[in-house]
Amino acid sequence: MAKIILNKSNYFHNLKIISEQAGSIEKVAVVLKDNAYGHGLVEISSMAKEFGIKNAVVRTVAEAKLIETFFDQILILADSKKKSYSHSFHIVINSLDDIAKLPKNTNVQLKVDTGMHRNGVSLKELEEAIHGIYEKKLNLTGVLTHYKSADELTCDFFWQRALFNQVKKEVMGICEKLFLPIPKFHSANSSALFRFKNFDEDLVRVGIAQYGYLETNTIFDNPKLKPVMSLWASKISTRTIKKNQKVGYGGKYLAKKDMKVSTYDVGYGDGFLRLNGETKYTTPKGYEILGRVSMDNISIDCEDDEVCIFNDVKKLAKIHNTISYEITTTLLPTIKKEIK
Ligand SMILES: *Cc1c(COP(=O)(O)O)cnc(C)c1O
């Protein structure tokens, strides 16, 4: 069976670098949405807990429930309609409308739109939002924003940061007038964290960096992270093909000599994006993937019982003209995980 191996020492290596950059382990919130970017929600949570991480971020209440016992606080990004919340759950308010939907005493964190124009209240709506939260008797535990291009060499990052500083001042003023405790402030994802010289926020929401990648422009002084996930497949069968015979759908691979070809049990049905036979891809051991990837099969010029398909997705991301996030996140949760 195909499987994903999670490399614990690489994961801890990344968490150590991240905690150092953040200033303390308490400030690190691991982003575990979408099955921990395909790595396995529960497996990553258990390793994060073992390392000493206290905070996590997910998309839904359902995800939060699965990992409730691993963390002190879980931030839920986009699920303001559910009713059953635990004390450790904090729901993100993405618009003024969300405030009315939440039951009394819910822990909430207010998202502010500082330029991404995706979610969050505007600066003009800040006062109305915090008064609404106060009147509805919700507990405001945090105020956050999200950068649109922290990974690119543009000045957008700096003006969003400046706007967020303004948000902090206004929020503190409003909270003081209402005798509300000052909430936590956080804005940084992985790439933003490594652009701060002296990180001074209360929390950092780290997704991709914990898994060993950063899509940040290489002009920045990026840390040496190590990929956590490798994908392995098992052999189904081996055959000998003659020179000029072709392999797979469309016969995209043409044998230049008589050769052995084996079929392995992984394909795009497992979420391993389809290689179309136009671009050459070789596995970490140097075996070539021959022709097109099928739904549940992949042909490789080797005879090993098990083969590592990738232990770093950067090359695949380039072939598919996408980002590392998409290559790992599309892998199905049903692929079994092993922690090594
Ligand atoms: C997904 C997400 C993150 C994590 O982003 P990375 O680039 O993977 O570190 C942080 N904050 C929010 C609001 C997100 O949606």
Side-chain angles (χ1 to χ4, degrees), residues 80 89 94 144 153 163 194 209 264 271 288:
S80 58
F89 294 0
N94 285 303
L144 65 149
L153 190 61
L163 267 184
F194 290 98
Y264 292 84
E288 188 178 350

Side-chain angles (χ1 to χ4, degrees), residues 31 33 37 77 111 118 144 146 188-191 205-209 325:
V31 180
K33 64 194 180 194
Y37 294 28
L77 289 172
K111 187 139 182 200
R118 191 175 66 173
L144 65 149
H146 195 53
N189 66 342
S190 299
S191 46
R205 308 182 303 267
V206 183
I208 199 74
Y325 299 68

Side-chain angles (χ1 to χ4, degrees), residues 44-225:
I44 294 290
S45 297
S46 73
M47 289 195 287
K49 180 184 159 75
E50 187 182 331
F51 188 82
I53 302 286
K54 306 272 187 274
N55 300 287
V57 183
V58 292
R59 180 157 62 157
T60 63
V61 171
E63 287 171 321
K65 281 183 174 158
L66 293 173
I67 54 168
E68 199 175 345
T69 56
F70 294 99
F71 300 101
D72 293 350
Q73 296 207 346
I74 302 179
L75 184 65
I76 297 163
L77 289 172
D79 209 350
S80 58
K81 287 165 209 77
K82 302 273 168 44
K83 295 285 179 203
S84 68
Y85 302 130
S86 135
H87 285 303
S88 59
F89 294 0
H90 301 250
I91 310 285
V92 171
I93 289 177
N94 285 303
S95 71
L96 288 176
D97 296 342
D98 280 352
I99 296 168
K101 296 176 198 157
L102 292 158
K104 195 170 120 180
N105 295 328
T106 307
N107 297 320
V108 295
Q109 302 216 353
L110 180 65
K111 187 139 182 200
V112 184
D113 179 8
T114 54
M116 182 148 179
H117 304 322
R118 191 175 66 173
N119 288 311
V121 301
S122 68
L123 268 70
K124 285 200 196 105
E125 294 169 325
L126 257 186
E127 182 134 22
E128 184 182 349
I130 297 177
H131 277 97
I133 288 166
Y134 175 74
E135 278 151 26
K136 193 80 205 289
K137 297 194 167 50
L138 306 172
N139 305 323
L140 181 67
T141 62
V143 173
L144 65 149
T145 195
H146 195 53
Y147 296 109
K148 64 175 173 184
S149 45
D151 51 354
E152 289 167 20
L153 190 61
T154 71
C155 58
D156 292 349
F157 174 67
F158 298 101
W159 65 250
Q160 273 193 274
R161 253 182 88 175
L163 267 184
F164 193 56
N165 280 331
Q166 193 184 320
V167 168
K168 283 182 203 172
K169 281 204 197 101
E170 286 186 31
V171 169
M172 286 198 269
I174 301 166
C175 287
E176 274 163 19
K177 274 194 210 143
L178 295 173
F179 295 99
L180 288 174
I182 301 297
K184 285 188 176 178
F185 293 96
H186 51 105
S187 65
N189 66 342
S190 299
S191 46
L193 172 66
F194 290 98
R195 287 184 71 178
F196 275 82
K197 285 279 177 296
N198 294 299
F199 185 75
D200 59 355
E201 297 199 321
D202 300 318
L203 205 71
V204 54
R205 308 182 303 267
V206 183
I208 199 74
Q210 73 185 293
Y211 308 115
Y213 302 97
L214 265 187
E215 292 289 335
T216 315
N217 191 311
T218 49
I219 198 146
F220 300 117
D221 187 16
N222 287 326
K224 303 265 177 302
L225 302 167

